[in-house]
Amino acid sequence: MKTIKLSATDSTNSFLKDLSQNSTLENFTTVVTQNQTKGRGQQQNKWVSDPYKNLTFSVFISFQDLKVIQKKYLNFAISLAIYNVLFTKNLPKPSIKWPNDILSANKKICGILIENTFSGDRIKNSYVGIGLNVNQETFPEYLNNATSLKLETGIAYDLDILLPTVLEEIKKNIKLLTSKKFTLLEEKYLDVLYKKNIPTMFKNSKDEIFMGIISGISDFGKLQVQLEDDTIKEFGLKEISFL
């Protein structure tokens, strides 16, 4: 497993994608930087991270036989890998917030961005970007729901030790994925899904507020919510938010 360390870059995902277009990459090649200047999150959001304090890295994963329709299981595998590592750190109430934010209680500690290339009906390569808040102790005011390992546990972590631990867990879960252990991955993901089976207030893309209960994830990775009339409605990433 090759690791490329950069002192600074705009985006580790962008760097890794450019690298893969110009060379043949070993599976699980990882790019990690001490200072990511233009980190990206879901929905074109920015990922803000203080230099030298956190883990900002991307992993290249190639697949031989993963269908596009099975994409949600890739998300399960990566999310669970980060969750599993953080669970060992005795965080308060760790969970996965759909689709792949990792929370401690109600605060975000890790964000994941998965970008794929395709060949026909198969996923060819994935670029898995991860921003894990580790030793950062203050965040901008507009990130009032952000937290870090140090804030939650009172412990400062060695980034050079933590990164290989995370990468090994990713490799283990990708092995489950390529072995087609889809049911196991889904069960584990749903077991730790934030607010699952709990009556919750949501807001849709029309700013309508409604009560619902998260019941599962559809075949296409959409969030399934049971409404007050007991019907199940499915929502994409930009179609629903927690109130």
Side-chain angles (χ1 to χ4, degrees), residues 77-184:
I78 298 298
S79 303
L80 284 166
I82 308 302
Y83 172 89
N84 291 343
V85 172
L86 296 183
F87 184 80
T88 67
K89 307 303 180 186
N90 297 317
L91 289 178
K93 297 181 180 178
S95 64
I96 300 172
K97 179 184 172 187
W98 176 83
N100 50 26
D101 284 344
I102 314 299
L103 305 184
S104 176
N106 295 317
K107 293 193 172 184
K108 183 173 177 178
I109 195 168
C110 181
I112 299 168
L113 176 65
I114 302 174
E115 298 178 299
N116 301 305
T117 59
F118 307 97
S119 178
D121 66 346
R122 302 290 200 274
I123 295 175
K124 183 181 178 184
N125 300 318
S126 290
Y127 305 87
V128 179
I130 295 169
L132 175 57
N133 297 331
V134 182
N135 294 321
Q136 188 166 337
E137 294 181 89
T138 60
F139 293 88
E141 194 171 307
Y142 64 90
L143 294 178
N144 57 6
N145 70 328
T147 191
S148 69
L149 271 169
K150 188 173 183 181
L151 283 175
E152 296 302 324
T153 66
I155 299 170
Y157 292 84
D158 187 325
L159 302 181
D160 291 330
I161 293 175
L162 187 58
L163 178 61
T165 304
V166 174
L167 293 177
E168 281 303 317
E169 197 64 30
I170 288 174
K171 285 184 72 175
K172 276 198 277 186
N173 272 18
I174 293 299
K175 188 173 182 179
L176 289 177
L177 177 66
T178 55
S179 302
K180 303 192 185 303
K181 305 291 187 184
F182 300 139
T183 301
L184 176 63

Side-chain angles (χ1 to χ4, degrees), residues 34 74 92 94 120 144 192 229:
Q34 296 174 323
L74 169 60
N144 57 6
V192 298
D229 61 3

